[in-house]
Amino acid sequence: MTADKQPLLDVRGLGIFFRTEAGEVQATRDVSFQLRPGERLGIVGESGCGKTVTGLSILGLLPRAQSRVEGQVLFEGRDLLTLSPRQLRAVRGRRISMIFQEPMSALDPVFTIGQQIGETLRAHRGIGKKEARERAVEALAQVGIPLPSRRVDEYPHQLSGGMRQRAMIAIALVCEPQILIADEPTTALDVTIQAQIIDLLFDLSARTGTALLFITHDLGVIAETCTRMLTMYAGEVVEDSPVDAALERPRHPYTSGLLRSIPRLSKRKTVLPSIAGRVPSPADMPTGCRFRARCVHGLAECEARQDLLDVSLDRRARCMRQAELTLPGAIA
Amino acid sequence: MTSIVEAKDLRVHFSTSGGAETVKAVDGVSFAMNRGETFGVIGESGSGKSTLGRAVVCLLKPTAGAIRLDDADPYALSGAAFRKNRRDYQIVFQDPNAALNPRMRIRDSVREPLDILGEGTRAERNARAVAVLDRVGLRAEFAERYPHELSGGQKQRVNIARVLTLRPKLVVCDEVVAALDVSIQADMLNLFADLQREFGLTYLFITHDLGVVSHISDRVAVMYLGKFMEMGGADDIAERPLHPYTEALLSAEPVPLPSHLRSGQRIVLQGEIPSPISPPSGCRFRTRCPFAEDICASSEPEWRELEPGRYVACHFAGQVTKGRKS
Ligand SMILES: Nc1ncnc2c1ncn2[C@@H]1O[C@H](COP(=O)(O)OP(=O)(O)OP(=O)(O)O)[C@@H](O)[C@H]1O
Ligand SMILES: Nc1ncnc2c1ncn2[C@@H]1O[C@H](COP(=O)(O)OP(=O)(O)O)[C@@H](O)[C@H]1O
Ligand code: SF4
Ligand code: SF4
Ligand SMILES: [Mg+2]
Ligand SMILES: [Mg+2]
């Protein structure tokens, strides 16, 4: 399948640190993964596991004064982590774009949608005002906004939540980037609108070959959108696998626990399997397996630091018991 | 036995733009709730779920139609009787922070509703607060903490404890698990089920999450633009929807199953929910319904009991939906 293609994005040993009042804390450790052309990779995990900061770090969007990033983010022969803010701006929006859960935070309230799309185009493509407007109308039509030639002159607050999300996608895609990073783009939307946006992203990625890095806490969204998935726990990648394989037979107890706690997969009115406890905070990370305190399969040896082990050619799991455990997946 | 809640053609309208326009948030809803059941309400944002929930606990007065609680019209009761009746009907909201004062210790927040009622001595009220906190899974040490020292899930437990101290008969749960991670959400749903068994509670469970609603509910109502489209047993609705809107909602839900086990065709509804200021004529769902015909614009479908216990408002109910498996 895609496994033979060269990776488009090669993230190696990403460690993200924040300076806080209590000293420096580490939000992610040794995050490594690859994204291939046209691939749709999901990142899943509970809140606070490091999904958002991982996405932000790729584009140098973490607050510079309070953070430090180690590792490498290789893209088109360069390490994005070594680029100057100016060099990064040339990548952002043109080669790699990002969309967020709350489109209002990314859209500028004082400019029309058309001006914002035009701005992106003119900055990266150097085209004129008139052409930019035409392209903006096209872009809005492409993301399924009705009456695009009217909407193009409207301000963000005049659009509904679903329309704003589409407008943000239009801005993100207008320069036909290689990679789109989407951080919970449908979390605030109704299922009906979510289905529209998922279809839109899916079609655009299939048509233009844009690779998708899809961050979400919703395994249903991953199942319907992505080809591969990374499970993150407490700042680490704990499983990296093709989606169907992970849903059928997860190799990390955390992936299994996340799946089993979904109400839809249990019989009505039965006790839902949950994962006792909470994600540890970066300020007091346990040594050894970070999931140990919540894992029902833990052994004394799990107190040793766990590495991502190869499960097969295209799967890895950070659990020393991955080969011997048979963990329930979407079908128990 | 009589119903714990009975709504007859209930309407809650709001006037906006200085009275120039009327938002018909709830626009003619009839249903009855049985004691001890969980009655789920689903629907898109803006369909009127929260407004309905607030009307049930008398936080909003009906514009028209009637609501009966325990077979009495709450608005016909005297002040004292109204307050006593209100106490039996409580509500918990989505935002775990909404009901908590950031400067009050958890124990004091939980005790507050009892303080207002002035029941028993302060020591007794404290003991009750701590006991209820323990019951929702928060050990005594949490009683001394402040809200910011708790996680979202823990704060939501506090909110439940707060209403439980009043020993209500019915609790409206308005998106109470929406802000929580799945594993924490699973804990909370288990807790709701336990509390129901233990205290004989009745729930009106409002959520936009279909998985959640079908897991926890005995019966489900599907709401769209101020009206119920369909109502029936939770399993029936999930397995064999009779209304095109229900079918579309169910099919839009992303399913966490490997691709070979997913049904494949998804109905993607076009467009968005129209404004409740001027809902479409005839059937309100017609602007997005894949099966709409002329009659749907000219005449409003009647709310009828198509099969025992299964109510639906659609001219072609049961004829156009396919039912679903998986
Ligand atoms: N106090 C109010 N004044 C005017 N309009 C209101 C008021 N409260 C609610 N509405 C409107 O009534 C309609 C129904 O709102 P409601 O909050 O009941 O919807 P909901 O189904 O709970 O939606 P959500 O899923 O977003 O919580 C919406 O159009 C809303 O904007
Ligand atoms: N600016 C910041 N300063 C300090 N810590 C932060 C900052 N941003 C994120 N973090 C911490 O990094 C961790 C990962 O956060 P995040 O990536 O937002 O998680 P997720 O997206 O998986 O919910 C969390 O513990 C969070 O508190
Ligand atoms: S390493 Fe041990 S504690 Fe960690 S997930 Fe595997 S079995 Fe559980
Ligand atoms: S009455 Fe007509 S428009 Fe309304 S749901 Fe039925 S078929 Fe669709
Ligand atoms: Mg996040
Ligand atoms: Mg609501």
Side-chain angles (χ1 to χ4, degrees):
Chain A
M1 262 178 32
T2 49
D4 47 28
K5 289 191 204 160
Q6 278 300 308
L8 190 58
L9 187 74
D10 192 353
V11 175
R12 297 187 181 171
L14 201 64
I16 300 171
F17 300 81
F18 289 104
R19 276 180 278 286
T20 69
E21 281 164 28
E24 192 174 69
V25 297
Q26 183 163 11
T28 72
R29 191 185 76 85
D30 191 24
V31 170
S32 302
F33 61 90
Q34 298 181 335
L35 183 65
R36 291 166 207 290
E39 190 173 44
R40 296 183 302 273
L41 174 68
I43 304 186
V44 71
E46 285 167 286
S47 69
C49 283
K51 306 181 297 296
T52 294
V53 293
T54 297
L56 291 174
S57 68
I58 292 171
L59 280 175
L61 290 172
L62 291 170
R64 280 196 180 240
Q66 299 136 41
S67 64
R68 175 168 74 80
V69 183
E70 62 177 35
Q72 291 177 303
V73 177
L74 303 176
F75 174 68
E76 296 184 329
R78 292 188 295 183
D79 179 1
L80 298 183
L81 297 182
T82 63
L83 299 191
S84 69
R86 215 184 117 201
Q87 289 170 312
L88 268 175
R89 270 198 299 277
V91 173
R92 214 183 289 151
R94 190 158 75 99
R95 317 291 292 155
I96 306 179
S97 281
M98 186 155 182
I99 60 175
F100 304 91
Q101 172 173 346
E102 187 28 74
M104 269 323 238
S105 63
L107 296 171
D108 194 328
V110 303
F111 292 104
T112 66
I113 299 299
Q115 285 165 336
Q116 297 186 49
I117 299 178
E119 189 46 47
T120 309
L121 272 173
R122 290 186 326 156
H124 293 307
R125 291 279 156 92
I127 62 173
K129 248 197 171 135
K130 185 153 167 287
E131 196 193 335
R133 188 175 186 283
E134 279 163 20
R135 290 283 304 277
V137 174
E138 265 170 46
L140 291 180
Q142 229 178 48
V143 296
I145 292 190
L147 305 174
S149 51
R150 203 174 83 198
R151 294 292 187 196
V152 75
D153 297 319
E154 290 186 356
Y155 292 89
H157 75 265
Q158 292 173 285
L159 305 180
S160 68
M163 286 298 161
R164 273 181 217 144
Q165 200 55 269
R166 284 170 191 268
M168 187 162 63
I169 293 171
I171 295 173
L173 294 181
V174 73
C175 290
E176 294 168 6
Q178 255 81 353
I179 300 172
L180 176 66
I181 303 173
D183 188 357
E184 309 262 7
T186 60
T187 303
L189 304 173
D190 278 314
V191 280
T192 50
I193 310 300
Q194 167 169 281
Q196 295 171 1
I197 300 290
I198 287 179
D199 276 16
L200 173 66
L201 288 175
F202 195 98
D203 290 348
L204 289 171
S205 128
R207 201 168 67 228
T208 60
T210 299
L212 215 55
L213 187 63
F214 202 118
I215 299 172
T216 174
H217 65 277
D218 187 335
L219 277 159
V221 171
I222 298 244
E224 300 215 343
T225 320
C226 300
T227 45
R228 292 185 67 77
M229 65 182 249
L230 296 180
T231 312
M232 285 192 73
Y233 184 74
E236 293 179 332
V237 173
V238 295
E239 182 157 4
D240 176 358
S241 163
V243 170
D244 281 352
L247 296 177
E248 260 165 63
R249 189 173 167 211
R251 290 301 189 128
H252 195 282
Y254 180 59
T255 312
S256 172
L258 277 182
L259 267 167
R260 296 312 310 159
S261 56
I262 298 172
R264 197 186 187 285
L265 298 178
S266 288
K267 215 168 133 29
R268 195 168 73 81
K269 293 243 161 189
T270 53
V271 176
L272 291 167
S274 67
I275 314 171
R278 300 166 55 181
V279 183
S281 89
D284 69 309
M285 245 347 133
T287 54
C289 173
R290 294 184 168 185
F291 188 57
R292 201 175 67 245
R294 304 175 76 185
C295 184
V296 293
H297 305 288
L299 303 175
E301 295 90 311
C302 303
E303 289 186 29
R305 178 170 156 163
Q306 302 294 315
D307 293 317
L308 262 183
L309 304 173
D310 286 335
V311 174
S312 59
L313 264 182
D314 60 352
R315 282 192 83 172
R316 299 177 299 161
R318 197 181 291 277
C319 170
M320 53 168 235
R321 305 195 65 193
Q322 57 85 13
E324 60 178 295
L325 294 172
T326 304
L327 301 167
I331 357 159
Chain B
M1 205 157 63
T2 56
S3 306
I4 186 163
V5 173
E6 195 178 349
K8 278 222 174 79
D9 198 28
L10 184 73
R11 287 163 206 264
V12 183
H13 295 177
F14 301 102
S15 64
T16 54
S17 315
E21 288 175 326
T22 306
V23 180
K24 297 166 184 154
V26 175
D27 202 27
V29 164
S30 303
F31 66 100
M33 283 175 67
N34 306 320
R35 260 162 247 275
E37 80 168 330
T38 299
F39 185 82
V41 179
I42 49 170
E44 285 165 284
S45 181
S47 57
K49 308 180 296 294
S50 298
T51 306
L52 176 68
R54 285 177 161 86
V56 165
V57 296
C58 298
L59 286 175
L60 285 171
K61 201 172 174 192
T63 314
I67 185 115
R68 293 181 74 79
L69 303 179
D70 252 338
D71 209 24
D73 174 359
Y75 295 99
L77 299 175
S78 70
F82 180 71
R83 278 192 297 278
K84 179 165 179 325
N85 182 299
R86 280 255 331 239
R87 177 180 171 173
D88 290 337
Y89 296 79
Q90 293 293 323
I91 187 164
V92 181
F93 299 102
Q94 166 172 1
D95 178 2
N97 295 311
L100 296 177
N101 182 334
R103 285 180 298 279
M104 259 162 84
R105 287 183 197 279
I106 296 305
R107 181 192 354 94
D108 299 338
S109 277
V110 173
R111 203 191 55 227
E112 193 183 30
L114 292 173
D115 290 347
I116 295 168
L117 290 166
E119 271 194 359
T121 65
R122 191 182 153 91
E124 284 165 357
R125 295 197 296 266
N126 258 332
R128 177 116 143 247
V130 173
V132 174
L133 277 170
D134 186 63
R135 181 60 200 86
V136 299
L138 295 174
R139 292 181 309 273
E141 56 179 275
F142 286 100
E144 302 307 315
R145 294 200 189 169
Y146 289 93
H148 75 265
E149 297 170 294
L150 267 55
S151 70
Q154 290 167 338
K155 276 186 266 192
Q156 207 53 298
R157 286 172 192 265
V158 174
N159 285 318
I160 295 158
R162 242 173 89 92
V163 308
L164 281 182
T165 57
L166 298 170
R167 303 202 174 105
K169 293 179 182 163
L170 177 144
V171 180
V172 173
C173 305
D174 189 353
E175 303 276 11
V176 281
V177 295
L180 310 174
D181 276 314
V182 276
S183 72
I184 313 291
Q185 176 181 293
D187 277 334
M188 293 292 285
L189 293 174
N190 291 338
L191 174 65
F192 275 107
D194 287 349
L195 295 173
Q196 180 165 53
R197 265 190 298 277
E198 196 172 323
F199 300 106
L201 290 171
T202 306
Y203 293 130
L204 181 68
F205 211 93
I206 297 170
T207 167
H208 63 272
D209 187 320
L210 294 143
V212 168
V213 88
S214 9
H215 184 82
I216 195 161
S217 307
D218 298 292
R219 290 192 300 146
V220 171
V222 182
M223 200 166 182
Y224 187 76
L225 217 51
K227 281 191 127 64
F228 282 0
M229 298 288 110
E230 175 163 11
M231 177 170 82
D235 286 332
D236 291 340
I237 295 248
E239 278 153 31
R240 198 169 48 86
L242 296 175
H243 194 286
Y245 181 58
T246 313
E247 184 177 51
L249 272 185
L250 291 170
S251 116
E253 187 203 7
V255 186
L257 289 174
S259 44
H260 67 94
L261 292 175
R262 287 200 309 268
S263 59
Q265 323 120 301
R266 194 161 43 170
I267 307 164
V268 177
L269 282 184
Q270 301 304 308
E272 301 176 1
I273 188 166
S275 156
I277 293 171
S278 48
S281 67
C283 173
R284 295 170 186 232
F285 182 55
R286 71 172 165 84
T287 52
R288 298 168 79 195
C289 180
F291 309 106
E293 308 238 0
D294 292 347
I295 185 181
C296 306
S298 57
S299 118
E300 179 156 12
E302 190 193 341
W303 178 241
R304 57 197 166 119
E305 192 171 6
L306 194 69
E307 294 168 16
R310 295 205 64 178
Y311 295 79
V312 59
C314 166
H315 293 303
F316 306 106
Q319 299 166 30
V320 284
T321 48
K322 286 193 290 293
R324 75 171 201 159
K325 299 242 155 31
S326 85

